[in-house]
C-alpha cells in the first residue's frame, strides 16, 4: 500500500504543479483575456483569501488587485485581505501592502488594525521586508500614526542595510505632509542621512531635504564635500536633486569674486624706454576652491544618458561657472537634438536661453540648427530663432549658408514657414549691418511674388529696415511705389503708402508723394479699409508739408526795412511735390495798386486734400470718417500747423524686432516656466522659485564649517551606546590609560586565554628590559669608578 500512496501523492503534486504553471502562464499573458476580466463571485474570492494555502491566497489577491485597478468595488474584501498581512510569503505581503495603500484613507479604522503587524515587520531579518514595511507605513495617510511613522523612520536611519535607510529617507517627506509638527525630529533624521556613506542613500536624503526644509542650508555645510564626492555615483533622480540644491547652496555661500588681468606696456631695449604703466585688462571670475570642486565633479555627468541631468549640469555651469565651463557643456547640450521630438523641444528652449548669453559658443554647431524636412512647426520655429541669434557671430561663409537656407524656405508651400523665414531674414539684417543690404535685396525680390502672404511679410520687414536709415533708401521707396499697380494684398499696399508718406518731406522738388496721392485718389473707392486709412494719412502729411513751405516762404519774403512796407514784394515761385505754380508779377503802378486783387488760383495739393475729405465723408467706415474729421480739425487754420506737424510729422522710433524668446529670458534654465514663458504667469508657474542672488562678499558662511574635521559620517551616529563604552570614553578624557584606576580595571571587557597569554608575554618582556637596563647602568657606574681610581694613581706617580 505504501507504493500506491506514494504514487498518489506524486500525482497530486504533479497536478498542483500543472495548475500553478497554467496560472503563471495565464498571468504572463496578462489579464486582458475574457477569463480574467469577468467578475469572480464574492464567495469564491472570500474562500481563496481565507485559504491556508499560499498559492490560493496569492491567486485571490491577484484577482482583487486586478478588480481594483479596473475601478471595481473591492472594499468588501478589506478585512479578508488585511488579515494576510502577517503572512511570511513576501509576494503576499507585497499585494496586501498595495491594497492597504489604496484603501487606507477611505477605511482608516481597519487600516489601523494592521499597523502593529507592519511595525513588527520593521524588525524582520529580510531588509526588503523592512524597507517595504516602512514604505507602506509612511504611505498610509492617517494623521494618527504620525508619531509611529516618525519612530519607524528613526529605526530605519540606524538600520544596517542601505536599502532600508534609503526607504527611511523617502519616507521623511510623507511623514512631514502627514503631520508638519514632526519637523524638528525629521530634521535630525535628515542630518544623519545626509552624512551617510552610501551614495544612493544620500541622493534620496537630498530629495527629502529639498521638499521638507530647503532653507536649512546650515545642514549641508559639514556634508558638502561628501555629497560632492558621491555625486557621480548617484542615480539620475539623486543627481537632479543634488544639482538643484548645489546651485542654490553655491549662490548663498560663495560670493562672486572677480579680478582684472594686468597688461604691462612694452618697454625699450634698455628697459627704461616706453611706458611703464599697467593697463587693466578684462575682468575674470575667481572661483572658490569648494565651488571649483563642485564644477569639476559635474563634468563627468555631461556623458549621462539622461537628458535632464545634462541640462542640470549646464545650469550649474551657466549660473556658477566660468566661460570655459560653459563652452565645455555646449557640445553635449547640442547633442540632445538627436533625441526624440519631445526632448528636442525642451532642449531647444534651453539652448536658446544659453545662446542669448553666449551666442559665439554655438557658431561651430550652426549646421545642427538647419531646418529638416520632417521637423514639426514647434521645432523649426526654435531652430530659425537660434540661427538669427548666432548670425552676427558667424563668419561670412556661414552667414551665406544661413541666408541661402532662409531664402529657400521663402518659396515653400507652408505659409507659416514662409512668414517665419521672412521675419528671420529681417532679424538677421537688423542684427548685422554688414549684411543688411543683401537681406534687403532678398526681400525686394519677393515683392513680385504672386503669394500675397509673402509680399505682405516682406514689405513689413522692408519697412523696418528702411526706417533704420531713411536717407539712404530714397530710391528703394520709389521702386516700391512703382509696385503699387501690381500689388493686390491690402497689408502690402498699406505698408507702401505709409512709406511714401514718411518720405513726403524729403527733396520737395522731386518728391513723388503728391503724384502717388493723385493716382490713389482715382481708385479710392475700391481700396481696402487699411489702404484707405493710409491714403488719408498720406494726404494729411502732403498737405502739412505744403502749408509749412508756404509759411516759410512768406517769412523769407518779409522785408527787414520799414520803407519796404509801402509796396508788395513779389512772391516766390512755389514748387513742390511735382507741382509748380506760375509766378505772380505785381505792378508798381499807383492806379493798379488801388484796384482789388484778383482771386488767386487754388493750389492742386489743396484741391487734392479737399477731394480726399469729400470721398471719406461718404465712406461706410466710421473709423475712417472719424480719422478724417480729426485731420480736418487740425488743419482748419492754415496759419497754425504746429500741432498738426507734431502729430503727423513726429520722428518715428527705429523698430527693433527682438527674439521671440526674450520673454523667456528671466526664467531659470531647466524649469517648466522657461518652456511655457509668461503664459504661465509673470512670475512663472505655481511653485517656481527664481535663482537667488550671489551672497555679498563678507556675508558668506565661514568656510571652516565645510571642513569634515575627522568626524565620521556614519549612519549609526545616534545608536545606543553601552555603559561600558561610555565609561571608557569618560576615563580616556580624564587621562586614565587602559582603563586602570589604582591598579583595578574599570570597564574592562571579558578576556580570552590568548589575551591573557599575550599580556603575560608583554610583562615578561618589560621585566627583561628593566633588568637589562639596570645591568647596563651598574656597568657604567663601575667603569666610572675605575677611571677615577686610575686618575688618582697617576697623580701619585707624578
Amino acid at each position: 500500500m505504501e507504493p500506491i500512496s506514494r504514487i498518489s501523492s506524486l500525482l497530486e503534486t504533479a497536478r498542483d504543479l500543472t495548475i500553478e504553471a497554467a496560472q503563471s502562464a495565464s498571468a504572463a499573458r496578462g489579464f486582458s483575456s475574457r477569463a480574467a476580466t469577468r467578475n469572480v463571485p464574492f464567495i469564491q474570492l472570500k474562500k481563496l483569501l481565507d485559504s491556508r494555502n499560499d498559492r490560493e491566497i496569492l491567486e485571490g489577491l491577484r484577482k482583487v488587485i486586478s478588480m481594483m485597478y479596473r475601478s471595481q468595488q473591492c472594499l468588501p474584501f478589506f478585512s479578508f485581505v488585511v488579515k494576510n498581512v502577517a503572512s511570511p510569503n513576501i509576494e503576499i505581503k507585497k499585494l496586501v501592502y498595495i491594497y492597504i495603500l489604496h484603501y487606507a484613507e477611505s477605511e482608516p479604522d481597519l487600516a489601523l488594525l494592521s499597523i502593529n503587524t507592519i511595525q513588527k515587520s520593521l524588525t524582520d531579518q529580510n531588509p526588503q521586508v523592512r524597507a517595504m514595511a516602512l514604505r507602506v507605513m509612511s504611505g498610509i495617510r492617517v494623521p494618527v500614526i504620525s508619531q509611529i511613522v516618525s519612530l519607524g523612520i528613526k529605526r530605519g536611519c540606524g538600520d544596517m542595510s542601505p536599502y532600508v535607510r534609503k526607504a527611511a529617507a523617502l519616507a521623511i517627506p510623507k511623514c512631514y505632509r502627514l503631520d508638519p509638527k514632526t519637523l524638528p525630529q525629521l530634521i535630525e533624521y535628515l542630518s544623519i542621512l545626509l552624512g551617510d556613506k552610501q551614495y544612493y542613500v544620500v541622493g534620496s536624503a537630498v530629495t527629502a531635504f529639498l521638499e521638507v526644509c530647503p532653507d536649512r542650508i546650515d545642514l549641508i555645510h559639514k556634508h558638502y564635500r561628501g555629497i560632492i564626492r558621491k555625486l557621480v555615483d548617484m542615480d539620475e533622480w539623486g543627481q537632479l536633486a543634488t544639482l538643484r540644491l548645489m546651485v542654490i547652496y553655491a549662490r548663498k555661500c560663495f560670493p562672486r569674486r572677480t579680478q582684472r588681468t594686468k597688461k604691462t606696456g612694452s618697454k625699450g631695449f634698455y628697459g627704461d624706454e616706453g611706458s611703464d604703466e599697467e593697463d587693466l585688462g578684462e575682468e575674470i571670475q575667481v572661483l572658490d576652491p569648494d565651488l571649483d570642486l563642485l564644477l569639476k565633479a559635474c563634468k563627468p555627468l555631461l556623458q549621462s544618458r539622461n537628458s535632464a541631468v545634462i541640462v542640470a549640469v549646464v545650469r550649474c555651469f551657466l549660473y556658477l561657472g566660468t566661460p570655459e565651463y560653459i563652452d565645455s557643456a555646449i557640445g553635449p547640450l547640442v547633442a540632445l537634438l538627436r533625441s526624440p521630438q519631445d526632448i528636442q523641444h525642451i532642449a531647444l528652449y534651453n539652448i536658446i536661453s544659453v545662446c542669448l548669453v553666449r551666442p559665439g559658443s554655438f557658431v561651430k554647431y550652426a549646421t545642427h540648427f538647419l531646418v529638416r524636412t520632417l521637423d514639426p512647426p514647434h521645432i523649426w520655429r526654435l531652430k530659425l530663432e537660434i540661427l538669427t541669434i548666432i548670425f552676427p557671430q558667424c563668419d561670412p561663409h556661414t552667414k551665406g549658408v544661413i541666408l541661402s537656407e532662409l531664402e529657400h524656405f521663402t518659396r515653400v508651400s507652408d505659409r507659416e514657414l514662409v512668414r517665419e523665414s521672412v521675419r528671420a531674414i529681417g532679424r538677421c539684417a537688423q542684427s548685422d549691418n554688414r549684411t543688411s543690404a543683401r537681406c534687403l535685396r532678398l526681400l525686394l525680390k519677393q515683392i513680385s511674388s504672386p503669394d500675397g502672404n509673402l509680399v505682405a511679410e516682406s514689405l513689413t520687414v522692408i519697412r523696418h529696415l528702411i526706417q533704420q536709415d531713411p536717407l539712404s533708401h530714397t530710391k528703394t521707396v520709389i521702386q516700391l511705389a512703382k509696385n503699387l499697380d501690381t500689388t493686390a494684398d491690402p497689408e502690402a499696399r498699406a505698408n507702401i503708402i505709409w512709406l511714401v508718406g514718411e518720405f513726403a518731406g524729403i527733396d520737395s522738388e522731386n518728391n513723388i508723394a503728391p503724384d502717388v496721392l493723385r493716382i490713389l485718389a482715382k481708385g479710392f473707392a475700391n481700396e481696402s479699409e487699411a489702404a484707405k486709412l493710409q491714403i488719408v494719412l498720406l494726404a494729411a502729411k502732403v498737405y502739412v508739408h505744403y502749408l509749412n513751405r508756404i509759411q516759410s516762404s512768406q517769412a523769407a519774403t518779409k522785408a527787414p526795412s520799414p520803407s519796404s512796407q509801402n509796396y508788395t514784394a513779389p512772391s516766390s515761385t512755389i514748387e513742390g511735390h511735382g507741382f509748380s505754380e506760375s509766378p505772380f508779377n505785381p505792378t508798381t503802378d499807383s492806379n493798379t495798386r488801388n484796384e482789388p486783387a484778383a482771386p488767386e488760383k487754388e493750389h492742386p495739393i489743396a484741391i487734392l486734400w479737399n477731394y480726399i475729405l469729400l470721398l471719406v465723408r461718404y465712406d461706410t467706415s466710421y473709423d475712417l470718417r472719424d480719422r478724417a474729421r480729426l485731420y480736418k480739425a487740425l488743419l482748419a487754420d492754415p496759419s497754425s500747423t504746429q500741432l498738426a506737424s507734431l502729430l503727423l510729422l513726429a520722428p518715428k522710433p527705429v523698430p527693433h524686432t527682438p527674439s521671440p524668446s526674450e520673454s523667456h529670458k528671466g526664467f531659470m534654465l531647466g524649469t517648466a516656466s522657461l518652456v511655457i514663458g509668461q503664459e504661465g504667469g509673470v512670475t512663472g508657474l505655481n511653485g517656481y522659485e527664481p535663482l537667488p542672488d550671489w551672497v555679498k562678499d563678507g556675508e558668506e558662511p565661514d568656510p571652516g564649517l565645510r571642513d569634515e574635521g575627522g568626524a565620521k559620517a556614519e549612519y549609526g551616529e545616534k545608536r545606543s551606546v553601552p555603559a561600558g563604552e561610555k565609561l571608557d570614553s569618560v576615563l580616556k578624557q580624564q587621562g586614565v590609560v587602559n582603563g586602570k584606576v589604582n591598579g583595578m580595571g574599570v570597564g574592562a571587557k571579558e578576556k580570552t586565554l590568548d589575551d591573557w597569554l599575550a599580556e603575560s608575554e608583554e610583562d615578561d618582556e618589560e621585566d627583561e628590559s628593566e633588568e637589562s637596563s639596570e645591568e647596563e647602568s651598574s656597568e657604567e657606574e663601575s667603569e666610572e669608578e675605575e677611571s677615577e681610581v686610575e686618575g688618582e694613581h697617576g697623580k701619585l706617580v707624578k
Side-chain angles (χ1 to χ4, degrees):
M1 295 298 292
E2 185 178 355
I4 296 175
S5 61
R6 183 179 299 176
I7 291 172
S8 62
S9 64
L10 290 175
L11 289 174
E12 187 175 356
T13 305
R15 183 179 65 83
D16 294 340
L17 292 174
T18 305
I19 293 174
E20 187 174 356
Q23 290 176 350
S24 62
S26 64
R29 290 195 301 269
F31 295 101
S32 58
S33 59
R34 293 182 180 178
T37 55
R38 66 168 179 258
N39 294 330
V40 182
F42 177 82
I43 299 176
Q44 183 178 353
L45 274 178
K46 179 179 177 297
K47 183 178 179 181
L48 290 173
L49 295 173
D50 290 339
S51 175
R52 295 183 179 180
N53 190 346
D54 288 349
R55 189 181 69 248
E56 293 181 355
I57 296 175
L58 197 60
E59 181 184 357
L61 287 172
R62 285 173 179 168
K63 290 183 179 181
V64 170
I65 298 298
S66 65
M67 291 171 59
M68 182 179 70
Y69 282 108
R70 291 200 305 269
S71 300
Q72 296 183 10
Q73 187 65 24
C74 296
L75 271 177
F77 305 105
F78 195 92
S79 57
F80 305 108
V81 172
V82 169
K83 70 181 181 180
N84 292 310
V85 73
S87 174
N89 192 329
I90 190 171
E91 296 296 330
I92 294 177
K93 277 182 177 294
K94 287 180 181 179
L95 295 178
V96 172
Y97 286 161
I98 291 172
Y99 184 88
I100 290 175
L101 288 176
H102 193 272
Y103 285 111
E105 196 170 1
S106 57
E107 292 289 338
D109 296 334
L110 294 176
L112 290 176
L113 297 177
S114 61
I115 291 296
N116 291 332
T117 307
I118 297 174
Q119 198 171 4
K120 290 179 182 177
S121 299
L122 293 175
T123 58
D124 195 274
Q125 294 182 355
N126 190 348
Q128 188 177 3
V129 174
R130 298 199 300 270
M132 191 164 51
L134 185 57
R135 192 180 301 118
V136 172
M137 188 185 299
S138 61
I140 297 176
R141 294 181 292 271
V142 180
V144 181
I145 63 171
S146 60
Q147 292 298 327
I148 299 176
V149 175
S150 177
L151 291 175
I153 294 173
K154 182 179 180 180
R155 182 188 294 270
C157 290
D159 198 282
M160 296 294 294
S161 172
Y163 186 72
V164 180
R165 299 200 299 275
K166 180 180 179 180
L170 295 175
I172 288 176
K174 299 177 184 178
C175 183
Y176 176 71
R177 288 193 294 267
L178 195 64
D179 186 8
K181 296 179 181 179
T182 58
L183 181 61
Q185 306 170 16
L186 300 179
I187 289 177
E188 293 181 7
Y189 307 152
L190 269 177
S191 180
I192 299 171
L193 294 172
L194 286 171
D196 199 279
K197 291 182 177 180
Q198 297 295 333
Y199 53 87
Y200 43 85
V201 178
V202 175
S204 302
V206 171
T207 305
F209 174 84
L210 288 174
E211 189 168 350
V212 174
C213 53
D215 297 330
R216 291 292 305 273
I217 299 296
D218 56 305
L219 298 177
I220 307 295
H221 293 320
K222 59 182 178 181
H223 307 302
Y224 173 80
R225 293 172 187 167
I227 294 173
I228 296 302
R229 286 194 293 268
K230 300 179 185 72
L231 178 61
V232 181
D233 298 321
M234 293 180 186
D235 60 334
E236 287 88 349
W237 295 106
Q239 288 172 350
L240 288 174
T242 305
L243 290 172
R244 185 155 58 97
L245 171 64
M246 289 305 157
V247 171
I248 301 172
Y249 180 86
R251 284 275 186 150
K252 292 183 177 180
C253 298
F254 302 124
R256 185 178 179 86
R257 296 188 176 96
T258 58
Q259 69 178 13
R260 289 187 176 273
T261 56
K262 296 181 179 180
K263 297 180 180 179
T264 57
S266 60
K267 295 185 177 182
F269 180 78
Y270 295 103
D272 55 352
E273 301 175 2
S275 60
D276 296 338
E277 298 178 356
E278 294 183 351
D279 299 330
L280 294 178
E282 62 177 352
E283 187 176 353
I284 60 173
Q285 183 180 358
V286 180
L287 295 178
D288 188 275
D290 285 331
L291 179 57
D292 194 27
L293 176 68
L294 168 63
L295 297 176
K296 288 179 179 178
C298 291
K299 265 195 173 182
L301 300 183
L302 292 173
Q303 311 299 326
S304 175
R305 62 182 179 180
N306 193 319
S307 57
V309 175
I310 295 175
V311 173
V313 174
V314 176
R315 177 176 58 199
C316 278
F317 288 171
L318 180 64
Y319 298 134
L320 305 178
T322 58
E324 290 77 15
Y325 281 104
I326 300 175
D327 293 340
S328 65
I330 299 299
L333 185 61
V334 175
L336 295 179
L337 297 180
R338 304 191 190 103
S339 306
Q341 289 183 357
D342 53 347
I343 298 179
Q344 283 187 46
H345 189 209
I346 305 300
L348 283 169
Y349 273 109
N350 290 278
I351 289 173
I352 291 174
S353 182
V354 181
C355 193
L356 290 172
V357 179
R358 291 189 60 81
S361 301
F362 290 88
V363 171
K364 59 182 178 181
Y365 303 104
T367 54
H368 291 74
F369 305 114
L370 297 179
V371 179
R372 304 179 184 275
T373 307
L374 300 178
D375 286 341
H378 63 276
I379 298 294
W380 55 251
R381 277 195 184 92
L382 298 175
K383 285 187 174 181
L384 290 178
E385 184 178 353
I386 295 173
L387 289 176
T388 57
I389 293 173
I390 67 176
F391 183 81
Q393 311 291 333
C394 295
D395 56 276
H397 172 70
T398 309
K399 290 180 181 179
V401 171
I402 294 175
L403 290 178
S404 299
E405 287 289 321
L406 296 177
E407 184 183 6
H408 167 71
F409 290 122
T410 58
R411 296 191 294 268
V412 297
S413 58
D414 190 352
R415 299 184 63 182
E416 290 293 327
L417 182 54
V418 170
R419 180 183 293 111
E420 293 298 328
S421 300
V422 172
R423 291 176 180 174
I425 293 175
R427 291 198 296 270
C428 290
Q430 289 182 0
S431 59
D432 188 14
N433 295 327
R434 291 172 293 182
T435 57
S436 59
R438 180 180 176 183
C439 296
L440 187 59
R441 287 195 299 271
L442 288 177
L443 295 172
L444 288 173
K445 291 179 183 178
Q446 314 301 332
I447 297 177
S448 58
S449 173
D451 187 2
N453 177 44
L454 174 59
V455 174
E457 288 296 330
S458 301
L459 280 170
T460 302
V461 177
I462 289 171
R463 177 169 62 86
H464 292 169
L465 295 179
I466 290 176
Q467 284 184 261
Q468 292 183 351
D469 189 9
L471 297 177
S472 61
H473 292 94
T474 306
K475 295 182 179 179
T476 306
V477 175
I478 296 174
Q479 181 181 350
L480 292 174
K482 292 178 181 178
N483 289 319
L484 277 173
D485 296 335
T486 57
T487 304
D489 188 77
E491 293 296 329
R493 292 181 66 86
N495 281 325
I496 295 176
I497 296 169
W498 186 87
L499 281 173
V500 172
E502 286 296 304
F503 281 79
I506 299 175
D507 192 9
S508 58
E509 295 182 357
N510 299 318
N511 202 285
I512 62 170
D515 286 333
V516 173
L517 179 62
R518 176 176 56 82
I519 296 170
L520 293 172
K522 296 178 181 179
F524 183 83
N526 299 324
E527 296 284 352
S528 64
E529 184 175 354
K532 287 179 180 179
L533 288 170
Q534 296 303 324
I535 291 173
V536 174
L537 181 60
L538 173 61
K541 290 180 179 179
V542 170
Y543 188 56
V544 168
H545 284 299
Y546 163 70
L547 295 178
N548 289 338
R549 282 195 300 275
I550 289 180
Q551 291 182 4
S552 61
S553 63
Q554 288 178 356
T557 55
K558 286 183 179 180
S561 60
S563 60
S564 63
Q565 297 178 0
N566 297 328
Y567 66 94
T568 305
S571 61
S572 61
T573 303
I574 301 175
E575 296 180 359
H577 293 278
F579 294 95
S580 61
E581 202 174 35
S582 58
F584 174 68
N585 298 322
T587 61
T588 57
D589 189 9
S590 60
N591 296 327
T592 58
R593 191 181 303 166
N594 297 326
E595 293 179 0
E600 296 182 0
K601 187 177 180 181
E602 193 173 7
H603 197 276
I605 291 180
I607 296 174
L608 268 176
W609 168 244
N610 293 326
Y611 180 65
I612 294 294
L613 291 178
L614 186 63
L615 290 174
V616 175
R617 183 178 181 183
Y618 298 100
D619 196 86
T620 56
S621 174
Y622 61 87
D623 188 18
L624 189 62
R625 296 196 301 269
D626 292 344
R627 193 77 58 89
R629 279 195 291 269
L630 171 65
Y631 297 153
K632 184 178 180 180
L634 283 173
L635 301 172
D637 186 6
S639 61
S640 178
T641 60
Q642 290 84 359
L643 183 59
S645 299
L646 289 174
L647 179 64
L648 299 174
L649 307 180
K652 308 299 187 297
V654 177
H656 177 71
T657 306
S659 177
S661 293
E662 284 287 342
S663 59
H664 300 225
K665 193 174 181 179
F667 297 106
M668 191 162 59
L669 198 72
T671 57
S673 298
L674 177 67
V675 178
I676 297 176
Q678 294 185 354
E679 296 178 2
V682 179
T683 58
L685 295 173
N686 187 19
Y688 171 77
E689 295 181 1
L691 185 69
D693 297 329
W694 288 96
V695 64
K696 295 181 180 179
D697 197 1
E699 298 181 3
E700 72 275 10
D702 184 10
L705 296 174
R706 289 186 288 274
D707 295 336
E708 295 175 347
K712 295 182 179 179
E714 297 190 8
Y715 55 86
E717 191 174 343
K718 297 293 183 181
R719 62 187 177 89
S720 57
V721 182
E725 293 184 11
K726 289 185 177 180
L727 186 57
D728 289 341
S729 62
V730 172
L731 292 175
K732 287 179 181 179
Q733 291 176 1
Q734 294 178 356
V736 181
V737 183
N738 293 331
K740 294 181 179 180
V741 180
N742 296 329
M744 299 180 64
V746 181
K749 297 181 180 178
E750 296 181 359
K751 297 182 180 180
T752 60
L753 181 61
D754 295 334
D755 296 336
W756 288 108
L757 292 175
E759 285 188 1
S760 62
E761 291 176 358
E762 291 177 359
D763 294 339
D764 293 339
E765 291 177 357
E766 290 178 359
D767 295 339
E768 291 176 359
S769 61
E770 290 177 358
E771 291 176 358
S772 61
S773 60
E774 289 177 359
E775 291 176 357
E776 291 176 357
S777 60
S778 61
E779 290 177 358
E780 290 177 357
E781 291 176 357
S782 62
E783 289 177 358
E784 290 177 357
E785 291 176 354
E786 290 177 357
S787 61
E788 290 176 358
V789 170
E790 289 177 358
E792 293 177 357
H793 180 69
K795 289 178 181 180
L796 293 173
V797 171
K798 288 179 181 179

